Amino acid sequence: MAILPPATIGILGGGQLGRMTALAARAMGYGVQVLDPSAECAAKPVADRVIAARFDDASAAAELARSCKVVTLEIEQIGAAALAAVEGIVPLRPGASVLYIVQDRARQKEWLASQGFPIGPYAVVDDARSLAAAAASLGSSLFVKACEGGFDGRSQTRMDATSDPLASFELVGGRRSVAEQALSLELELSVLVARRPSGEALVYPPAVNHHENQILAWSSMPGTLPPGVAHQASVLALDIAHALSLEGILAVEMFLLQDGRLLVNELAPRPHNSFHATELACPTSQFEQLVRAACDLPLGAVEPVRPAAIVNLFGDLWLDGREPKFDAALTVPGTRLFLYGKGGARAGRKMGHIAALGDTAADALANARRAFSLL
Ligand SMILES: Nc1ncnc2c1ncn2[C@@H]1O[C@H](COP(=O)(O)OP(=O)(O)OP(=O)(O)O)[C@@H](O)[C@H]1O
Ligand SMILES: [Mg+2]
């Protein structure tokens, strides 16, 4: 049943993804409450209330749920008891069963493989010895990623033939991890699916993404891809959303290998950095789409009206007391500025992004990069 404005939506997580979801919800006339460990989180200025609590605080999650008609989230790492507490009071979209699958990298990979979805070779490791064994069987070039808690390339390390397994295992925190074979990538893409409780689903065209130091640097959409890949990627993402009985939105990060194979990298059942360009490119942004899916409203149109691209702004831009020249960047036609209102600029911290339109995806990216270079 549709949850209509002016109902209040709860969001677990008040970072930039929660902030932009809250803005979309507000535009539609919904109230918004947020739970975040920081009372001064990015979503604070656009939320009616911030409940400052840890993501494993079940009573705080229950308090959020009691004030809302539906709860969604912007981050996967929410404690099981907190998720259960919400589900006992109002619909949680996406649900706890989806979160359970994605919260642990090993479990996520096991689920994908068990469902027949294509993933790269990997091994689960829990000490230096099993990591050495993984290197022996998968090849010495590996990505080692802690099963829980990593994002933006944190709790990850690369290994090659010269790496010491013990040192590498310690670098990821000495925790249960997955060791993935380093794949020869042609390019990286992601696909965003929205699915309503009824099962109705829509998929955005793929975004093409470029990472630097394992962090997304820029993204364009619709991405320029070899023939057939967009269709294949869309079908794959839709199949995954249906297999999860997803309620909400899901970004599927994918690798296109140099040999032409398309593999799933990882799943994110929430707004995704690589779909920020939907705010310009598409009639319905990913954030509004999440609000619609969570509230069981008709999904919005996803077909891009014009290509767009984004370039991430990291805290590095602010270091040494520097003030980025936003006015200069905005002289580039078709650009928009998104800042997340975060106080502390740190190297590698996502502070905002610049988005730009163009006649083609390449054009849009060139515009976004030109604006970036003027900062
Ligand atoms: N097995 C692999 N082979 C080749 N490149 C990889 C592999 N695993 C990760 N990478 C590179 O590192 C990036 C980040 O990896 P991954 O998505 O697993 O990390 P993350 O911390 O979850 O990042 P994010 O939060 O940005 O999605 C990938 O987008 C890709 O560029
Ligand atoms: Mg990733």
Side-chain angles (χ1 to χ4, degrees):
M1 215 180 54
I3 296 163
L4 299 175
T8 291
I9 300 173
I11 306 175
L12 295 164
Q16 66 264 23
L17 303 176
R19 173 185 171 106
M20 290 184 276
T21 303
L23 283 165
R26 279 239 173 283
M28 294 179 78
Y30 288 99
V32 178
Q33 297 197 12
V34 164
L35 183 152
D36 192 90
S38 165
E40 299 304 317
C41 60
K44 181 192 173 186
V46 285
D48 297 304
R49 175 163 78 135
V50 177
I51 299 175
R54 286 164 49 115
F55 289 136
D56 58 3
D57 185 333
S59 62
E63 190 186 332
L64 177 76
R66 279 192 296 271
S67 318
C68 300
K69 284 283 191 306
V70 61
V71 172
T72 187
L73 48 93
E74 60 130 37
I75 183 168
E76 295 90 335
Q77 305 301 336
I78 310 284
L83 295 173
V86 171
E87 279 192 329
I89 299 169
V90 286
L92 173 68
R93 296 175 178 152
S97 61
V98 175
L99 275 298
Y100 178 75
I101 291 169
V102 303
Q103 278 175 342
D104 177 290
R105 285 187 192 274
R107 196 184 297 136
Q108 184 182 137
K109 286 182 186 296
E110 277 151 27
W111 181 83
L112 286 164
S114 74
Q115 298 287 315
F117 297 119
I119 58 172
Y122 76 99
V124 181
V125 299
D126 46 21
D127 55 19
R129 220 163 59 119
S130 49
L131 183 52
S137 67
L138 299 172
S140 54
S141 189
L142 296 171
F143 281 77
V144 188
K145 309 175 182 177
C147 284
E148 286 182 20
F151 67 97
D152 289 346
R154 290 173 218 183
S155 305
Q156 291 195 19
T157 188
R158 284 203 68 162
M159 280 180 75
D160 60 25
T162 66
S163 306
D164 169 38
L166 182 58
S168 299
F169 190 67
E170 269 163 14
L171 272 174
V172 297
R175 293 178 283 162
R176 195 166 142 271
S177 301
V178 292
E180 297 179 17
Q181 188 177 86
L183 303 163
S184 300
L185 308 185
E186 178 66 26
L187 54 81
E188 296 190 52
L189 63 156
S190 51
V191 182
L192 191 83
V193 198
R195 188 175 179 278
R196 285 175 74 178
S198 64
E200 185 203 343
L202 278 181
V203 59
Y204 288 85
V208 166
N209 308 321
H210 178 75
H211 292 73
E212 283 161 14
N213 304 319
Q214 278 114 269
I215 307 183
L216 185 74
W218 56 255
S219 173
S220 60
M221 76 136 355
T224 308
L225 292 163
V229 173
H231 178 72
Q232 198 190 338
S234 300
V235 170
L236 183 50
L238 274 170
D239 286 349
I240 293 172
H242 289 305
L244 289 170
S245 298
L246 174 80
E247 298 178 349
I249 64 174
L250 169 77
V252 183
E253 297 180 13
M254 300 183 197
F255 295 143
L256 180 64
L257 305 192
Q258 284 172 6
D259 66 12
R261 279 183 300 150
L262 186 66
L263 302 182
V264 175
N265 171 27
E266 60 172 346
L267 308 177
R270 52 160 171 84
H272 194 266
N273 195 169
S274 65
F275 276 82
H276 291 352
T278 54
E279 196 97 61
L280 278 72
C282 303
T284 316
S285 75
Q286 62 168 339
F287 305 106
E288 179 175 333
Q289 200 71 284
L290 172 55
V291 171
R292 289 181 181 229
C295 293
D296 203 9
L297 294 175
L299 298 177
V302 292
E303 236 6 87
V305 180
R306 266 193 94 186
I310 63 122
V311 173
N312 274 336
L313 307 182
F314 294 101
D316 310 63
L317 278 169
W318 279 260
L319 294 187
D320 308 321
R322 229 183 132 261
E323 193 65 42
K325 298 188 196 72
F326 298 119
D327 49 347
L330 291 173
T331 58
V332 179
T335 52
R336 283 177 66 193
L337 173 67
F338 296 81
L339 289 177
Y340 309 147
K342 295 183 183 174
R346 287 191 305 275
R349 187 175 195 207
K350 287 175 182 168
M351 303 295 288
H353 62 275
I354 284 208
L357 290 164
D359 293 334
T360 63
D363 212 33
L365 181 60
N367 286 339
R369 297 181 95 169
R370 189 150 62 88
F372 179 82
S373 72
L374 294 172
L375 286 172

